[in-house]
Amino acid sequence: MENSKITIIPNGPAMIQGNCEVTLPNGEVVVKEGRTTLCRCGLSANKPFCDGKHKGEFKVD
Ligand code: FES
């Protein structure tokens, strides 16, 4: 697997650029290709992935 780049978006998600595998709390492994965003604010309805709900007044930094 190639190296991935992780960027913390101010007041937003952690963005992973590059292929990765995400292991969910139930043990399921989700293979993601390209770009993946992980929620840092806790508001996403699709955790651990960002669904854009961080936008607005909520600050995570
Ligand atoms: S960081 Fe985007 S919904 Fe939480």
Side-chain angles (χ1 to χ4, degrees):
M1 181 179 287
E2 293 181 26
N3 288 341
S4 298
K5 177 181 177 184
I6 301 174
T7 304
I8 305 301
I9 306 299
N11 299 314
M15 182 176 64
I16 303 166
Q17 293 170 283
N19 300 344
C20 66
E21 293 180 353
V22 179
T23 302
L24 304 181
N26 66 3
E28 177 185 356
V29 176
V30 178
V31 176
K32 303 290 280 187
E33 296 181 353
R35 191 181 78 167
T36 302
T37 52
L38 297 177
C39 178
R40 294 196 306 135
C41 74
L43 297 176
S44 175
N46 189 33
K47 290 184 204 75
F49 306 104
C50 171
D51 68 357
K53 285 196 176 64
H54 61 271
K55 295 177 183 168
E57 296 301 314
F58 190 83
K59 303 292 184 200
V60 293
D61 290 336

